[in-house]
Amino acid sequence: GDTISRYGGDEFVIVLRDIGKSHYAASICEAISRSIANPFPIQEKSLHVSCSIGVALYPRDGDDPETLFKYADMALYRAKDLGRSNYQFFSSEINEKMLERVTLENALHLAVAGNQLSLHYQPIADLQTGGLVSLEALVYWNHPELGLIEPDRFIPIAQESGLIESIGEWVLRKSCEDMRCWLDEGLTDFRVAVNVSPKQFRDVQLAEKIEAVLAEMQIDPHMLSLEITETILMHDTA
């Protein structure tokens, strides 16, 4: 009486009937994970894959298919956030986090246009001399209701929602504007590091955009450092 179907892409839906207690569902998740972990021989090659599973239970989590599916999907995203290759049951905590995520994503669309972003600079010092080596630009969100939001709370949302490019361009321009102000005030021996997201880095016009901002602000290129993540290097080592 159980049902398994392919929902689309690499997503599958399994409907289990009369499973009894929740730990029975957990044992089934573990059995599925073990089966998926076995290598698949395809065209004389051995392929290894893993799976992430989200679980919603009737009637505890919902009493209609739409609600159960939505909550199972939330639990799935939670499993992925925790490093993949695991299973998670839906909970009120997950629901609260997902609601907060949706709320922040909707408000984030207005953050750039509404002048709600600000840059904070983290000093990087030489441990031998104690001198300032460079400054790392960190973007913060001055939310009108929630106050100051740190980057690790909203940057992942910006990356997934596609807003990271506009935020990244704002950070680049604002950091160069600040550098221009410091130069005008007589400061010379410093460098600013700006984080570049994978999506930004793959922009074929990135170099042109950087050159244009540096030229407009009359900033020597050696004063600007671009920091990229390890995932960019893994994507294209050359």
Side-chain angles (χ1 to χ4, degrees):
D2 298 334
T3 303
I4 178 170
S5 66
R6 183 184 181 195
Y7 181 67
D10 60 353
E11 287 191 319
F12 296 82
V13 177
I14 300 176
V15 181
L16 304 176
R17 298 182 62 184
D18 303 324
I19 61 170
K21 297 181 179 179
S22 60
H23 68 268
Y24 295 149
S27 65
I28 293 172
C29 289
E30 292 174 0
I32 293 172
S33 297
R34 286 195 300 270
S35 297
I36 293 292
N38 291 326
F40 291 88
I42 297 179
Q43 295 182 355
E44 300 180 353
K45 294 183 179 180
S46 184
L47 302 182
H48 295 265
V49 299
S50 62
C51 67
S52 302
I53 305 174
V55 184
L57 298 175
Y58 168 90
R60 188 193 74 178
D61 300 325
D63 57 7
D64 62 87
E66 290 77 13
T67 300
L68 290 170
F69 182 84
K70 179 178 72 174
Y71 288 166
D73 201 41
M74 288 182 178
L76 170 63
Y77 276 97
R78 175 64 171 167
K80 290 180 177 180
D81 287 341
L82 292 176
R84 302 175 181 272
S85 301
N86 70 91
Y87 60 90
Q88 294 292 318
F89 285 78
F90 175 77
S91 67
S92 57
E93 177 188 1
I94 292 177
N95 192 26
E96 290 174 4
K97 288 185 177 180
M98 291 298 290
L99 289 174
E100 179 191 45
R101 183 185 183 87
V102 171
T103 301
L104 287 178
E105 181 177 336
N106 291 336
L108 195 54
H109 284 273
L110 304 175
V112 178
N115 198 30
Q116 296 176 9
L117 300 180
S118 63
L119 284 188
H120 293 204
Y121 292 93
Q122 176 174 284
I124 300 174
D126 186 323
L127 292 180
Q128 290 185 321
T129 66
L132 185 68
V133 176
S134 63
L135 299 167
E136 181 179 4
L138 301 175
V139 59
Y140 282 74
W141 181 7
N142 298 303
H143 194 284
E145 297 175 1
L146 302 177
L148 193 65
I149 301 178
E150 297 187 357
D152 59 354
R153 189 174 166 191
F154 70 88
I155 289 299
I157 299 175
Q159 290 174 338
E160 293 184 14
S161 63
L163 295 169
I164 193 64
E165 287 187 274
S166 59
I167 292 177
E169 290 181 9
W170 180 89
V171 170
L172 176 65
R173 169 167 287 277
K174 177 59 178 170
S175 60
C176 287
E177 288 177 354
D178 290 344
M179 292 168 69
R180 183 68 262 166
C181 290
W182 298 334
L183 287 168
D184 292 342
E185 292 176 1
L187 299 176
T188 55
D189 192 18
F190 66 89
R191 176 180 294 189
V192 172
V194 174
N195 293 302
V196 177
S197 72
K199 194 166 186 179
Q200 269 184 286
F201 195 73
R202 288 193 288 269
D203 182 0
V204 295
Q205 296 181 323
L206 176 62
E208 295 177 7
K209 293 177 180 178
I210 294 172
E211 288 178 347
V213 174
L214 290 173
E216 179 184 347
M217 302 297 169
Q218 297 181 338
I219 302 293
D220 193 314
H222 86 274
M223 299 182 68
L224 178 68
S225 295
L226 302 179
E227 295 197 350
I228 60 176
T229 62
E230 294 84 351
T231 54
I232 295 178
L233 294 178
M234 295 295 287
H235 178 73
D236 186 352
T237 53

